[in-house]
Every structure is written in structure tokens, then in C-alpha cells.
Amino acid sequence: MLKQKLKKEHLGLLFDKLKVTHGVLGPKVENGVVTLAEIDAHDIPSGYEDHQQPGGYRLIKGERPEIFSFSIGPDSFKRFLQPPLREVFAFRRAAGISITRPGAEQRPLAFIDMRPCDLSALKLYDRIFLRGPVRDPYYDSLRRDSLVFVLNCLYPNDNCFCPSMGTGPEATDGFDVALTELSDSFLLEAGTAKGETVLAGLPAGEVDDSDMREKGARIELCRKRIKKFIRAGELPGLIYRNVEHPRWAEIAERDLECGNCTQLCPTCFCNSTYDALGLSGISKKSYQVSGRRMRKWDSCFSKNFARVHGGNFRPSRRARYRQWMSHKLAYTMEQFGLPGCVGCGRCITWCPAGIDITKELEALKSAR
Amino acid sequence: MHDKSIPFEAAIKWIKKETRDTATYALKVKSRDIQKGYRFIPGQFNMLYVPGIGEAPVSISSAPSDQDLMHTVRVAGDVTTALSHLKAGDVIGMRGPFGRGWPFEETGGLDILIVAGGLGIAPLRSVVRHILRTKKMAGAHSRRMLFYGAKTPKDIIFRNEFPRYREVFEVLLTVDRADPEERWRGETGLVTKLFDRAALDSLRTIAFVCGPEVMMQTSVRELILRGVPEERIFLSLERNMNCGVGLCGHCFFGPKFVCRDGPVFRFSEIEGLMGIKEL
């Protein structure tokens, strides 16, 4: 596959090229955090450093010379490929029911700066929404036209543990183009024919062995900077053997059930559908009604998530936390053959109670 | 193929009140194309949709060979209440069929035992009617038994059909409590009480069980105690089915999507999960 270098000052050319056909999504500072938005090259918050800890995130102007000097923020591709709220169809019931599906989607998306952990989550999403017994047509159309530029990581944050999950800091497949920031340029490696087409029109610098060595060294340095670790080799058994561990009740006492972790987790996919009615949607003849059927992100932390009429299958907070963590670390592997946790650490950073999934798993390991 | 996230129109052909809170709805799929392609096996369910209110998962209570597609619904929440306000001729939305049904192919040559509790009779009525209506089913089983437990004699659903069932099945009934004003000749007590009356040939038995979760747990325990192999016990689980196709997460039972991997499970598949509270 095609490999070439791009001078750092030419990064804007890549954006210009992509913008003709795609909405280009990349990192941008908003409200003091790095989020994803449609951006230009000059929006990239170069030189910023993020300091993350359990329940904490600080963004400061630092000394790092790289353009991509920061790690991941709360956002991921998921907000764009599977939006938090979308219309499934509009309906109108009179004598019969008429259903109108929403029109064609917006223009295709290009993800600049998708990190290897999120790329693993994207692979899981593909299995869930494209290769299951039923294909999600909305996701399918957006995903098929999207371009994925994965950025190999140089600076992890203190909550990252991708090496434990085998998802980073380097991406090996599943991308259209992989970027690695070197000292004087970007190394661009195409992973698909689509990716090669994008690279073809850019001013190309030749790649030699020293560039590949520099790439390797930089990623190795990143790997060494990673502080957290999880016993992935002992999964899923460690979860299955400990369903009645007293730790679950203990976590429930700290857990606020805000659902932040499920909203930020790039693999969480649970959702609910409901009918949205405006006041004008209800006619005097009560049988006539019109509205929109909406699908929204849901969370297994919500009390009614497993409710049926006449009872709730998970009435306790202990059971709801256990459901979430078990789904991440055990069930997803069984369901889709890929880990449900990609080691991004977002659930640790954005938990207002600072609950740390790596520590909780360690606690399950300890004697009861 | 039809997109399974979009409901299609189904007209209510007739409604039959079964008990004070339960009614059977016969539905007719309006689109000819969809109706032609619509095939189900007993034990599968549909999502019934009342626009403006929402959807509810309801198992199909008729047999594939029945003329009408039936759903037997108890008034419990918003959607089932809305259904109870409708009349013949009204149109609702429907998606389905979803899930895995009862494994008929495994019943040949065996004693088939159907154990139902309360509304759990609905997906099993589909089995019973399928056996009654299908000629080649005659003689396929060495013995056929139907055990059914309800709250009171008045809560027995499909009671008028039992005489027909008795032609092919050994039918035993029990109620939690008998109304004093009604003569009740069946048993009183849990459905498991009936197991003693029937003298099961456990190694030849295949059991289909559906009812409240506690009733299913006791039934399974009793069947295993009597020596029925775990691989020949099947249960239909109830969970909060929402999308029907394994994309929404509401029906998780451990790693299982009840909507897709179930609702009918072989007990040996879920044995490790059954005893865990709040899974």
C-alpha cells in the first residue's frame, strides 16, 4: 500500500482536498476540552496538553512541539455515526398509518485524528450494526461513505490502557489512512484503495527506513508512557467467576448513576425508541395522531432500562453497575468476538465519582 | 427484504375477550407482499405498535397453519391499555416475527410436556394448535401433556379450547385459589404439583415451559429432580424487548440478547445465568 510523507505545513492541503467531498471532523477546543467538530487545519489545538485523572480533565498550553500534542477528549466518532438522537420515521395515523422515512443523510464524513482505541470501537460498531442479523441502514449509509484517518498516538493520558486491550497505541488495520506525526513531517500510510486515492493528489515526500524507525521509536515511547494496566488475559472469567463479589455493592455506594461513562464510551451502543408528539400532533379525534418516532442513546444505568410491566429485572444500582462493567469486559466478546472495552479510559476521566474500571477489576481479583 | 425497524400496517380483524384483563387480537397484515413473505414459528413474537403510544413485544398465540394471526394480550402498560381501547377494523403497526421459537424438530418420538403459567400459555397455545392442526404431527410423539396453572379458574385463558386439546393432550389444570362460588375439579396449588400426577417418563420427556420467572425456575428444578435431561428443557424468557433485532440492549440476560438468541432457550444454555439475581 502507498506510503508517503507530508510536510507539516502542508496539512492544510489534506483538509482542502477532503473538504470538497466530505465533512472533515477533527479536534477542536470547546469549553476547555478537546472535542470533535468540522474543522480546518488551523483549528487543531496544537501545543495543548491534556492532563487526565480519575474524575478530572485539565487542558493547558504546554511545551510539546507536535501539532497533535494532546490525547483524546470526551468525544468519539460515535456521536456522528450513531447520533444521540435521530428520527427513525415520521408517522401519521388516521384511518390507516402512514410512515415516512427521513430523507438522505448529510454529506459523507472524514475523521481526521481517530485514535487507535476508537478505531477498535469502530470495528465493533461495524460488527454490531452491519454484520448482525439486521443491518442498520442509517449507520450503513454513513459508514460506507466515511473516510477514517487514524492517528497513531504519541502522548497518552494517565487514564489510557490501550496496550492491555491490544488496541493501541498503534493501529495496524481497519483504517483508510494511518498518520504518524514525525519530527518534521507526517507519515501517511494508506490502508485501503480509498485511502490511496486521497493520498494520490498530495505533495508526496519519499519514505525511507529512518522514517519507519522514527515512527517505531515514537510509538514505543508512547507505549512506555502508559500508566494503567488491566488483566485482559483473565477476561472474561474474572467477571463470570465474581458475579456475587461484595465489591459490586461497594461500588454502588460511590456510583452516582449519572450515565456519563455510557455516553462517552465509544463501544456503548444501547438505545431506546419513543414517539415524540408535538401538541399539534394530537387531534380532537383522539384516534388521529401524528408525530415522529425517535431513537436516542440510552444507558443501562437508567432505572427503567430493564423494566417490563409488572417488574424490573435490575432494580438495584449494584446490578446496574455490574451489568455495565460485565458487558464491557465479558459479554461483548461473547456477543461479537471483540472486546467491549478498548482501553480509552474515558469512563475513568469523566466519572464524577472517579470510579476507575481498572481498579475495580483489580478489586474483583482480590479475596472476597 | 422488509426493513425490520419499520412497522407495517396490520388491521384488527376481530378481538375476543379471554378473561377480565386479557384479550386475543386477530391481525391481518395489510400489504399483500409483506403478508406473503411473513412466516413464523411458534414461540416467536412481534412488536405491536400503537402510533403515539409506543411498542410492546407480544408473542404469537396462533399456529402458523391458523387462518388468523393472533396475539393474546394482558392489559399491563400504556401500549396494552391503548390496544384495549381499539376495535375491529382499527389499524396498528407491527414488526416481526422476531427471535427463536420452540424446537419442534427435537420433539419427534418423545413425550412432549407443555408447562404454562398464567399468560405464559400464549406462545404455547401456538405449539398446541400447531400439533392439533398438523396431520403429520399426529403420532410424532409418544405422549402429549399440557399442564397449566392460573390464579383462579376465571383467569384460565383459552378455557373453551381445552375440550379440543384433551382429544390429543393429557390436560391437567391447577389454580392458586378456587373461587368458592364456582365448582372447581382441578388441582389447587403450584403447577409443579401436577408433575406427580402424571408419572413422567423422564428420559423420554421434552419440556416446553413458559410463565412467570419464579414459576419457570421451580418447574425446571422439579423436572431436573425427576431426571429430565437439561438439554430437553426449553424456556421462553420475558425481558424488555425493544428493537427486536439485538441492537438496543434492553433485553440483555447476561451475554444473551433475549430478542435474538431467545426468547426460547435450551435450559442447558442458560443454566449458569438462571440463578443469578438481577442479571
Side-chain angles (χ1 to χ4, degrees):
Chain A
M1 281 268 150
L2 192 60
K3 245 182 233 177
Q4 63 193 52
K5 285 204 292 181
L6 182 73
K7 286 193 179 137
K8 288 197 185 178
E9 61 266 32
H10 288 158
L11 189 61
L13 297 178
L14 173 64
F15 276 76
D16 292 344
K17 176 157 194 203
L18 291 172
K19 267 172 17 190
V20 177
T21 47
H22 287 70
V24 183
L25 295 163
K28 184 183 179 179
V29 174
E30 250 173 82
N31 301 319
V33 298
V34 175
T35 60
L36 292 184
E38 275 210 38
I39 60 158
D40 268 313
H42 59 78
D43 291 318
I44 298 172
S46 304
Y48 277 92
E49 296 174 13
D50 49 323
H51 293 270
Q52 304 194 23
Q53 65 192 64
Y57 178 101
R58 289 283 174 279
L59 195 63
I60 56 159
K61 193 88 181 146
E63 304 288 310
R64 294 172 188 164
E66 285 82 4
I67 291 179
F68 291 96
S69 54
F70 44 86
S71 76
I72 49 167
D75 245 351
S76 69
F77 68 88
K78 137 169 147 173
R79 189 159 67 83
F80 301 94
L81 292 182
Q82 202 56 279
L85 184 63
R86 71 171 167 92
E87 183 183 313
V88 186
F89 55 79
F91 62 85
R92 200 185 147 69
R93 182 181 75 180
I97 302 166
S98 62
I99 281 171
T100 320
R101 291 210 237 181
E105 288 319 318
Q106 74 258 39
R107 62 194 186 128
L109 301 170
F111 293 92
I112 295 280
D113 182 27
M114 186 182 289
R115 300 301 171 104
C117 53
D118 286 350
L119 182 66
S120 283
L122 182 67
K123 286 180 196 167
L124 176 66
Y125 256 52
D126 287 350
R127 288 222 182 155
I128 297 169
F129 293 112
L130 300 181
R131 273 174 252 164
V134 170
R135 185 181 275 257
D136 180 331
Y138 181 93
Y139 180 84
D140 190 20
S141 72
L142 270 177
R143 175 73 177 100
R144 202 173 25 218
D145 298 336
S146 65
L147 274 171
V148 175
F149 289 76
V150 75
L151 183 84
N152 290 320
C153 277
L154 303 183
Y155 297 106
N157 68 64
D158 287 356
N159 289 334
C160 290
F161 55 99
C162 56
S164 297
M165 305 315 296
T167 56
E170 182 185 3
T172 50
D173 65 328
F175 48 78
D176 294 303
V177 177
L179 280 78
T180 312
E181 188 166 355
L182 306 178
S183 49
D184 65 338
S185 59
F186 284 101
L187 171 67
L188 306 181
E189 297 169 272
T192 60
K194 249 190 336 184
E196 286 196 325
T197 314
V198 176
L199 297 195
L202 294 171
E206 213 168 292
V207 178
D208 59 30
D209 283 354
S210 72
D211 297 319
M212 296 312 285
R213 276 198 301 276
E214 191 188 352
K215 173 195 171 187
R218 287 186 155 234
I219 289 167
E220 199 42 44
L221 188 60
C222 177
R223 198 182 292 276
K224 283 191 183 129
R225 286 178 174 134
I226 287 168
K227 294 186 174 154
K228 282 196 190 292
F229 159 84
I230 204 167
R231 292 174 188 273
E234 293 176 48
L235 295 172
L238 192 49
I239 297 285
Y240 283 128
R241 281 194 305 276
N242 288 295
V243 279
E244 302 295 357
H245 198 286
R247 184 73 175 189
W248 299 115
E250 198 275 316
I251 302 169
E253 286 176 20
R254 286 176 281 137
D255 179 9
L256 303 173
E257 290 201 309
C258 66
N260 265 9
C261 49
T262 52
Q263 308 297 290
L264 301 159
C265 175
T267 73
C268 271
F269 61 87
C270 289
N271 58 75
S272 289
T273 42
Y274 65 95
D275 282 358
L277 303 176
L279 284 177
S280 62
I282 304 162
S283 143
K284 274 183 190 160
K285 292 181 198 167
S286 65
Y287 190 70
Q288 283 186 17
V289 61
S290 63
R292 296 186 300 154
R293 187 136 184 96
M294 307 299 291
R295 178 161 132 179
K296 63 165 182 164
W297 288 356
D298 205 343
S299 167
C300 52
F301 285 98
S302 106
K303 278 205 177 71
N304 291 327
F305 190 79
R307 176 181 289 279
V308 294
H309 293 295
N312 189 338
F313 285 103
R314 260 173 249 122
S316 77
R317 183 175 290 183
R318 166 187 175 274
R320 292 193 288 272
Y321 185 86
R322 184 179 67 186
Q323 166 64 23
W324 177 74
M325 190 161 141
S326 305
H327 193 210
K328 298 290 106 183
L329 299 178
Y331 303 158
T332 308
M333 184 53 104
E334 205 168 311
Q335 291 165 343
F336 301 102
L338 286 172
C341 172
V342 295
C344 71
R346 287 187 181 94
C347 59
I348 309 172
T349 302
W350 300 96
C351 176
I355 296 172
D356 180 338
I357 192 170
T358 65
K359 290 227 168 71
E360 299 311 335
L361 189 68
E362 252 341 271
L364 290 183
K365 177 80 181 166
S366 68
R368 300 180 182 206
Chain B
M1 214 192 97
H2 187 78
D3 177 354
K4 285 209 157 184
S5 62
I6 307 290
F8 44 83
E9 288 180 294
I12 299 175
K13 209 168 152 189
W14 49 259
I15 303 171
K16 177 173 179 280
K17 199 167 160 64
E18 302 285 357
T19 67
R20 58 200 154 146
D21 58 0
T22 306
T24 297
Y25 296 76
L27 301 178
K28 188 167 190 332
V29 177
K30 278 179 79 178
S31 148
R32 271 207 173 174
D33 283 349
I34 293 171
Q35 194 186 20
K36 257 196 220 156
Y38 189 90
R39 298 265 180 288
F40 72 94
I41 49 173
Q44 286 192 300
F45 67 96
N46 285 311
M47 296 299 299
L48 301 187
Y49 176 48
V50 183
I53 309 289
E55 285 185 319
V58 183
S59 57
I60 301 166
S61 60
S62 52
S65 48
D66 273 320
Q67 187 132 42
D68 293 323
L69 176 66
M70 294 178 238
H71 296 77
T72 303
V73 183
R74 171 179 290 160
V75 175
D78 299 345
V79 177
T80 48
T81 303
L83 279 172
S84 73
H85 294 153
L86 299 180
K87 53 186 192 313
D90 287 345
V91 175
I92 62 169
M94 182 173 124
R95 297 190 291 128
F98 297 117
R100 203 163 55 149
W102 303 103
F104 273 105
E105 63 286 359
E106 295 190 29
T107 63
L110 297 171
D111 296 357
I112 182 167
L113 167 64
I114 288 172
V115 187
L119 188 59
I121 188 82
L124 288 166
R125 179 197 189 227
S126 181
V127 173
V128 172
R129 290 176 73 100
H130 186 56
I131 291 173
L132 290 180
R133 294 184 62 95
T134 315
K135 285 227 167 64
K136 68 174 180 209
M137 282 284 178
H141 312 107
S142 36
R143 192 178 169 194
R144 300 183 188 89
M145 291 160 282
L146 168 61
F147 298 172
Y148 180 33
K151 265 189 211 143
T152 73
K154 282 188 180 129
D155 292 304
I156 295 176
I157 308 170
F158 312 126
R159 202 170 176 179
N160 61 331
E161 297 182 7
F162 279 78
R164 263 196 74 206
Y165 298 173
R166 283 183 201 280
E167 290 167 16
V168 180
F169 282 81
E170 299 166 42
V171 179
L172 295 178
L173 302 177
T174 181
V175 292
D176 293 345
R177 51 172 206 286
D179 302 319
E181 63 266 29
E182 194 180 352
R183 266 182 57 205
W184 174 247
R185 283 175 305 186
E187 285 280 348
T188 312
L190 295 178
V191 75
T192 44
K193 213 171 161 182
L194 303 174
F195 294 171
D196 290 326
R197 292 245 328 254
L200 300 180
D201 183 351
S202 49
L203 289 177
R204 293 179 57 92
T205 300
I206 183 162
F208 293 177
V209 186
C210 185
E213 197 133 318
V214 182
M215 167 266 173
M216 289 199 285
Q217 273 170 0
T218 357
S219 300
V220 169
R221 199 164 49 231
E222 290 290 323
L223 289 170
I224 289 171
L225 269 176
R226 282 167 174 75
V228 178
E230 290 176 4
E231 296 74 31
R232 289 222 198 104
I233 302 174
F234 293 84
L235 321 173
S236 178
L237 295 188
E238 184 192 14
R239 283 295 182 275
N240 181 11
M241 271 84 95
N242 205 308
C243 72
V245 291
L247 297 180
C248 82
H250 285 274
C251 67
F252 280 142
F253 175 52
K256 306 287 185 197
F257 287 94
V258 173
C259 70
R260 193 184 83 187
D261 306 328
V264 175
F265 289 98
R266 190 189 298 274
F267 179 68
S268 51
E269 278 177 318
I270 52 168
E271 188 192 358
L273 307 172
M274 276 303 277
I276 303 170
K277 283 211 173 92
E278 293 192 54
L279 197 71

